Amino acid sequence: MVKPFPFIRNHQYNFIKKQIDLLERACHSVTDPKVVESVRYSVHFNIMEAFPDATELQRQVLEKVSSLRAEVEFRDYLHSLEPYLVQFPEVTGKQLAKLFPKNKKLKLPDLTAIDYRYVTYLGWVDIATNKLFIVYRLDGQFVGIEGRYIPTNKSVCFLCNRHAEVALFTAVTRSKPANASPDYYKAIGNYLCVDSEVCNKNITDVTALEKFVREVVGTHEP
């Protein structure tokens, strides 16, 4: 038996889940067969469009969504995709410490408790210092960002677009204009989920995340 080759990233898996949820609700609550088939076509199209570079075998895996009808089939299909999930690269405490060299007493998350299949970015809070840390793999390299963490009322997270408990996350950009003075300072802020684990379960697109990371670290798209 050929071992599945992972090709679905966490945010893509979340996107598939949301599309399947739309189809399952249509199958169970809509009485007009034409409407159901319209939703089925739309879901199939959206999922395939999210994987423009899929191989023929990968397309065959994804296209099975078109045949789902019973509740157990939806559940089994999502379960069948798990072997195809691309894990976020596991990191060590030493690797994280190198990303934040100025933090001599860096408080780390419990790395042994993380299921890296369902991680788009690592995020954790150090309540003692009111700082939030983000680690993301950008252009093949780990990038670490830290910033001020100010809890607020519920709002929309800029990463997962959910209305949730958020904090205002503000990071100082490392890039400076060519003619900037030595004391140049620019902070970039966004509302981010307080619970990064929940955020990782809901993020369906990394565009906003990568834009934010590039703005902070001062890199451009390759």
Side-chain angles (χ1 to χ4, degrees):
M1 183 177 178
V2 179
K3 184 179 179 180
F5 183 79
F7 70 98
I8 303 173
R9 296 172 65 189
N10 176 63
H11 70 279
Q12 294 173 314
Y13 181 64
N14 292 337
F15 179 77
I16 292 172
K17 283 196 299 182
K18 288 191 175 183
Q19 291 297 309
I20 286 178
D21 183 58
L22 287 173
L23 178 56
E24 185 173 10
R25 278 188 281 143
C27 288
H28 295 160
S29 62
V30 178
T31 56
D32 188 337
K34 290 184 178 179
V35 174
V36 174
E37 288 311 304
S38 176
V39 173
R40 188 182 304 282
Y41 173 82
S42 176
V43 165
H44 176 267
F45 177 83
N46 290 339
I47 290 177
M48 300 310 297
E49 190 177 42
F51 294 86
D53 300 321
T55 65
E56 183 58 35
L57 287 175
Q58 291 168 351
R59 290 181 65 87
Q60 288 176 17
V61 171
L62 297 171
E63 286 176 340
K64 291 179 182 178
V65 68
S66 295
S67 63
L68 306 180
R69 284 172 172 77
E71 182 177 349
V72 66
E73 293 177 344
F74 289 100
R75 186 172 62 249
D76 288 348
Y77 178 68
L78 282 174
H79 182 69
S80 74
L81 294 181
E82 291 179 356
Y84 297 97
L85 295 180
V86 179
Q87 283 197 170
F88 185 89
E90 294 189 27
V91 290
T92 64
K94 286 185 177 181
Q95 285 176 301
L96 293 180
K98 286 183 178 179
L99 293 176
F100 305 100
K102 294 181 180 179
N103 287 271
K104 303 304 181 184
K105 296 182 179 180
L106 180 65
K107 182 181 178 181
L108 298 175
D110 183 0
L111 300 177
T112 63
I114 298 172
D115 188 338
Y116 288 92
R117 294 177 300 171
Y118 306 105
V119 171
T120 293
Y121 72 94
L122 284 180
W124 71 95
V125 174
D126 184 348
I127 299 176
T129 59
N130 283 328
K131 283 190 174 181
L132 188 148
F133 299 85
I134 285 179
V135 172
Y136 183 65
R137 192 167 176 83
L138 183 72
D139 303 333
Q141 300 289 329
F142 282 122
V143 177
I145 293 176
E146 64 177 283
R148 285 176 57 82
Y149 164 86
I150 305 175
T152 65
N153 295 324
K154 281 193 173 183
S155 188
V156 177
C157 171
F158 86 108
L159 294 184
C160 69
N161 291 312
R162 271 180 72 253
H163 192 262
E165 295 289 342
V166 299
L168 178 59
F169 177 51
T170 308
V172 177
T173 179
R174 301 172 197 169
S175 62
K176 295 182 179 183
N179 59 347
S181 63
D183 58 350
Y184 176 84
Y185 175 97
K186 180 183 177 183
I188 304 171
N190 276 298
Y191 289 106
L192 179 67
C193 278
V194 171
D195 190 333
S196 64
E197 185 176 347
V198 173
C199 191
N200 272 291
K201 289 180 179 178
N202 289 280
I203 186 171
T204 58
D205 192 306
V206 295
T207 304
L209 173 58
E210 294 197 349
K211 180 176 183 291
F212 180 74
V213 171
R214 291 187 189 282
E215 286 179 344
V216 173
V217 301
T219 62
H220 301 285
E221 291 187 24

